[in-house]
Amino acid sequence: MTLELLFQYLVAGITYGIIYAIVAIGFNIIYNTTGIINFAQGEFVMLGGMTAVTLNTFMPVPLAIVAAVLITMIIGALIEIIFIRWLDNPTVLRMIIITIGLSILIREVALHVWDEKVRALPYFSGTATSSISIKGVYISPQVLWVIGICTLIVIILNFFFSHTLLGRQMRACSSNRKAARLCGISVQNMVTLSFVLSAGIGALAGCIVSPITYIQYDSGTGLAIKGFTVAILGGLGNSMAAVAAGLILGVLESFSIWILPTAYKDAISISILLLILFVRPGGLFGSREALSLKEF
Amino acid sequence: MKRLRHLHIVYMALLIVGIQVVTSATDTAYFLTQLTMSAYYSLIIIGLSLVMGYAGQISIGHAGFFAIGGYLSAFLTTYNLLPYQETGIVAFLSNAGLLVFSQDIYGTDLLTVHPWCAFISAIILTTSIAYVIGRPVLKLKGHYLAMATLGFGIIIFRIVLGSSYFGEADGLSDVPGFPLIGGVEISGNMSARIVNYYIAWGLVIIGMVLLLNLVKSRVGRALRSIHGSEDAAKAMGVDAAKYKLHTFVLSAVFAAVAGVMLTHYNGGIGPSEASVMKSVRYVAIVAIGGMANLWGALIMGSVLNFLSLRGYFGSMDDAVFGSILIIIMLFAPQGILRKGILKDLRNKLTGNPEVKQS
């Protein structure tokens, strides 16, 4: 094991980790305003990627990505308005089943709209074989794009939630819905907004990773499960911790290939999920005090 | 009440015989193949109904238990032990009469585990896994529980898909029939179709009687109290954790029995039986039947599985189950096969605020 190879694995791990983190942030945004887990989150990622690939046939890549993100945001809003907005205080079990049903439906529609072929956007700069060498470690320029854009998303979101009125209103809904409503915040609109936002982030993630991972009608499920693992690992609802958790999972997964065949890669990350759920359901970074007040 | 319960079972038995007579008379006996398969799937579904409806716990991993049963049984009854005949443990098993000699279609000699022995090992393994998994998993609630069971299902799926012992993407085939008493065996043999139909539905009746008695008993009342309010149940001295765990294990055993039997009936098993979509499908059917409604789950389980197996949904199979899931959960979260559904619908349409939501 040379040092270069070690770094190579590390970079691969970070790339995947940051993608998982973005999906996890999508989960967290909806969880924070509604208290539900959107099991169709992975489908937003798939829709974003697939739409961008189709649009790319008659428009340049940057434009196709922007359009795909907007379209997915609209779909996110429609889903919330049609299926969730009018439900009166639904139970968690009911919401889980509805979002699972939605994820199946979106996937099946995607299968009929597109087909089962894998697709990808072209590399944003350079080609699939071009690489940048940093002291003997070869990095594809797309990896830099992924890391760059994801870091940007995290920074912008952080700013949005802490410094803008809208972001603060959304946070108010998450900490206390009744109090937020009393202050004149439209909780329902905030919920719709959270769906729009998380659909948009998911779609963007789908676009930027598609050149590396490729995308097909059912790639959403796998990403959603990884994203959820990361969200739990960091503590549900905590977006900053999700980034750290994402990096941990990505790197662990990347190095796990040494020990076990790739076929079991998913089994490893899910075992980590189960272990965390059993031992520390509040996540790695949750405080003990806060945990004792919460139900899992 | 007691008489009524048995009456329903009698009606069911009559219906089962009736269907067989009608299909034989109208020369449509080929329907019986799918009806037999849907009987085994219904076995999983009534077990899951106990967990979801009565104990109020969701499990999106029941296809995993089905696969554990089916795969272990298929593996043990097809894996040729002849090369290891002289080694200690195989020789011991052979002497104990737990192994059988046979020949495959090419005339190769096979030495495999006896189906009954494989069945018992499958049940023991499923029970132990359900105990080990269930203990920590059932402490979780809501999303955490859903995700943990889903995760368990995916791990099983990945293992059967990735392991060469389980045939990877091809699954296992050439599984022999499962011998019962008097030369009758569970197999896909055309001549034994009617017998197998009765065996499968006989198993479902046994399962139904068992579960109906269970939910009417002290255990059933305890489960319903847990569903209503776990804290209140605990305060009344109900050991909630124990009841939830035992229900979970029982339903896992139901799934495993179905897995073993269906594998012998089909003569093989593939990784799609362990997939997440299968688990979701079982949840969907339980939801449609009305969570705490064993008869609803059984009826929906046999009808929908039969339609799906006959291919009436075509390439929209998964889409149909997804849509049903959403529609039922949006408009009739208590299921559709129950008294008062029409009244509820009328209330909803006329905007009567008395509608009870859950």
Side-chain angles (χ1 to χ4, degrees), chain B residues 291-313:
Chain B
M291 298 280 189
N293 183 348
L294 285 172
W295 284 108
L298 176 65
I299 294 169
M300 280 299 156
S302 38
V303 171
L304 285 175
N305 270 312
F306 175 71
L307 293 179
S308 163
L309 287 165
R310 286 294 305 170
Y312 288 126
F313 303 143

Side-chain angles (χ1 to χ4, degrees), chain A residues 223-241:
Chain A
L223 277 173
I225 286 163
K226 296 292 170 57
F228 189 83
T229 309
V230 167
I232 294 277
L233 204 60
L236 211 48
N238 186 348
S239 289
M240 275 299 130

Side-chain angles (χ1 to χ4, degrees), chain A residues 24 26 61 64 81 85 87-88 117 120-121 127 175 183 187 210 214 220 225 242 244:
Chain A
V61 176
I81 291 167
R85 196 184 182 94
L87 290 180
D88 185 28
K117 280 202 205 92
L121 282 172
T127 61
S175 46
C183 291
V187 176
S210 81
Y214 292 92
I225 286 163

Side-chain angles (χ1 to χ4, degrees), chain B residues 5-50:
Chain B
R5 211 188 315 155
H6 293 302
L7 212 59
H8 279 144
I9 292 286
V10 173
Y11 287 150
M12 180 182 159
L14 287 178
L15 184 68
I16 292 166
V17 176
I19 289 174
Q20 189 267 317
V21 171
V22 170
T23 50
S24 295
T26 55
D27 219 16
T28 49
Y30 51 85
F31 281 129
L32 292 185
T33 306
Q34 284 82 27
L35 281 171
T36 311
M37 288 165 77
S38 58
Y40 290 127
Y41 284 125
S42 303
L43 210 53
I44 314 173
I45 286 155
I46 54 174
L48 188 59
S49 173
L50 185 72

Side-chain angles (χ1 to χ4, degrees), chain B residues 5-334:
Chain B
R5 211 188 315 155
H6 293 302
L7 212 59
H8 279 144
I9 292 286
V10 173
Y11 287 150
M12 180 182 159
L14 287 178
L15 184 68
I16 292 166
V17 176
I19 289 174
Q20 189 267 317
V21 171
V22 170
T23 50
S24 295
T26 55
D27 219 16
T28 49
Y30 51 85
F31 281 129
L32 292 185
T33 306
Q34 284 82 27
L35 281 171
T36 311
M37 288 165 77
S38 58
Y40 290 127
Y41 284 125
S42 303
L43 210 53
I44 314 173
I45 286 155
I46 54 174
L48 188 59
S49 173
L50 185 72
V51 173
M52 282 179 61
Y54 293 89
Q57 311 294 311
I58 192 170
S59 167
I60 322 178
H62 258 56
F65 292 118
F66 179 90
I68 292 174
Y71 264 103
L72 188 67
S73 182
F75 173 71
L76 290 177
T77 51
T78 54
Y79 193 74
N80 195 354
L81 293 171
L82 211 53
Y84 315 106
Q85 200 176 3
E86 303 309 321
T87 53
I89 186 144
V90 175
F92 171 76
L93 288 173
S94 185
N95 289 333
L98 300 175
L99 304 181
V100 279
F101 283 98
S102 59
Q103 280 190 334
D104 66 9
I105 45 169
Y106 308 109
T108 320
D109 286 320
L110 295 176
L111 178 65
T112 53
V113 176
H114 191 276
W116 270 102
C117 185
F119 171 69
I120 291 163
S121 344
I123 299 305
I124 291 173
L125 183 72
T126 314
T127 314
S128 358
I129 291 180
Y131 258 109
V132 173
I133 289 289
R135 199 168 273 279
V137 159
L138 292 171
K139 281 187 191 147
L140 304 167
K141 290 192 175 70
H143 301 114
Y144 296 89
L145 178 64
M147 220 25 164
T149 50
L150 181 65
F152 163 73
I154 294 172
I155 291 177
I156 300 294
F157 177 62
R158 285 289 157 194
I159 290 173
V160 296
L161 193 63
S163 161
S164 57
Y165 288 110
F166 296 132
E168 292 172 349
D170 295 329
L172 294 173
S173 53
D174 299 325
V175 178
F178 188 89
L180 296 170
I181 25 170
V184 179
E185 62 169 18
I186 296 177
S187 70
N189 204 332
M190 281 299 200
S191 55
R193 189 150 59 190
I194 294 174
V195 178
N196 266 288
Y197 168 80
Y198 281 116
I199 294 171
W201 283 103
L203 265 176
V204 174
I205 289 183
I206 294 171
M208 267 317 262
V209 171
L210 196 75
L211 291 185
L212 284 172
N213 281 318
L214 193 71
V215 298
K216 285 281 185 296
S217 70
R218 183 191 165 84
V219 180
R221 286 193 296 275
L223 287 176
R224 268 195 299 268
S225 74
I226 294 170
H227 195 179
S229 162
E230 198 170 325
D231 290 334
K234 276 182 188 159
M236 296 303 291
V238 175
D239 189 348
K242 193 186 83 185
Y243 278 113
K244 284 197 288 189
L245 183 62
H246 287 180
T247 332
F248 185 73
V249 172
L250 183 66
S251 80
V253 170
F254 267 62
V257 170
V260 173
M261 297 307 165
L262 190 59
T263 302
H264 284 287
Y265 181 68
N266 286 343
I269 184 168
S272 72
E273 289 295 349
S275 70
V276 175
M277 260 320 291
K278 283 277 179 184
S279 295
V280 171
R281 172 172 300 199
Y282 304 143
V283 171
I285 293 171
V286 171
I288 301 160
M291 298 280 189
N293 183 348
L294 285 172
W295 284 108
L298 176 65
I299 294 169
M300 280 299 156
S302 38
V303 171
L304 285 175
N305 270 312
F306 175 71
L307 293 179
S308 163
L309 287 165
R310 286 294 305 170
Y312 288 126
F313 303 143
S315 66
M316 309 294 277
D317 209 35
D318 286 347
V320 166
F321 278 94
S323 320
I324 293 177
L325 207 53
I326 296 175
I327 293 168
I328 295 294
M329 277 297 127
L330 285 182
F331 301 108
Q334 309 285 355

Side-chain angles (χ1 to χ4, degrees), chain A:
Chain A
M1 173 52 57
T2 64
L3 207 59
E4 278 82 18
L5 202 60
L6 193 85
F7 275 109
Q8 205 80 56
Y9 274 105
L10 199 63
V11 171
I14 290 172
T15 316
Y16 278 94
I18 208 154
I19 295 164
Y20 300 156
I22 292 294
V23 181
I25 290 174
F27 273 118
N28 283 335
I29 291 172
I30 293 184
Y31 179 79
N32 273 340
T33 50
T34 60
I36 60 172
I37 286 290
N38 173 25
F39 278 77
Q41 184 65 32
E43 270 57 42
F44 289 147
V45 180
M46 178 271 294
L47 277 179
M50 297 292 262
T51 318
V53 173
T54 309
L55 291 176
N56 186 37
T57 50
F58 46 85
M59 54 175 83
V61 176
L63 211 59
I65 291 177
V66 172
V69 169
L70 287 177
I71 291 172
T72 317
M73 281 171 136
I74 294 169
I75 295 174
L78 285 177
I79 285 176
E80 201 277 331
I81 291 167
I82 297 173
F83 295 105
I84 292 160
R85 196 184 182 94
W86 54 276
L87 290 180
D88 185 28
N89 221 353
T91 58
V92 171
L93 186 64
R94 202 169 156 203
M95 287 316 306
I96 292 173
I97 298 181
I98 290 177
T99 52
I100 288 179
L102 281 172
S103 102
I104 297 169
L105 218 54
I106 297 173
R107 205 181 317 143
E108 290 300 306
V109 170
L111 176 61
H112 286 272
V113 171
W114 292 285
D115 45 36
E116 62 269 17
K117 280 202 205 92
V118 288
R119 285 147 211 268
L121 282 172
Y123 277 65
F124 293 0
S125 54
T127 61
T129 49
S130 64
S131 59
I132 302 160
S133 165
I134 302 169
K135 292 190 176 165
V137 182
Y138 292 93
I139 300 173
S140 158
Q142 190 64 29
V143 167
L144 297 180
W145 275 105
V146 170
I147 295 175
I149 292 178
C150 291
T151 316
L152 211 61
I153 293 177
V154 173
I155 292 171
I156 293 173
L157 271 181
N158 216 22
F159 179 81
F160 173 74
F161 280 118
S162 54
H163 287 94
T164 64
L165 186 61
L166 208 58
R168 285 174 170 184
Q169 286 182 342
M170 285 177 77
R171 267 175 46 212
C173 292
S174 77
S175 46
N176 190 332
R177 281 173 84 111
K178 263 190 197 140
R181 194 172 280 151
L182 283 173
C183 291
I185 299 170
S186 164
V187 176
Q188 284 192 321
N189 286 349
M190 290 304 135
V191 172
T192 315
L193 187 65
S194 70
F195 267 82
V196 170
L197 209 58
S198 94
I201 290 168
L204 187 59
C207 294
I208 54 176
V209 302
S210 81
I212 308 178
T213 60
Y214 292 92
I215 208 135
Q216 71 189 98
Y217 78 100
D218 64 350
S219 13
T221 322
L223 277 173
I225 286 163
K226 296 292 170 57
F228 189 83
T229 309
V230 167
I232 294 277
L233 204 60
L236 211 48
N238 186 348
S239 289
M240 275 299 130
V243 177
L247 294 178
I248 294 173
L249 186 74
V251 171
L252 270 180
E253 237 184 41
S254 171
F255 284 104
S256 76
I257 298 174
W258 277 341
I259 314 164
L260 280 164
T262 17
Y264 299 119
K265 201 171 101 174
D266 282 359
I268 289 173
S269 57
I270 293 163
S271 310
I272 294 175
L273 167 72
L274 290 182
L275 208 68
I276 292 291
L277 281 175
F278 299 160
V279 185
R280 266 193 85 109
L284 292 180
F285 309 107
S287 76
R288 285 261 173 224
E289 234 169 293
L291 291 185
S292 57
L293 295 171
K294 241 176 124 185
E295 275 218 324
F296 294 100

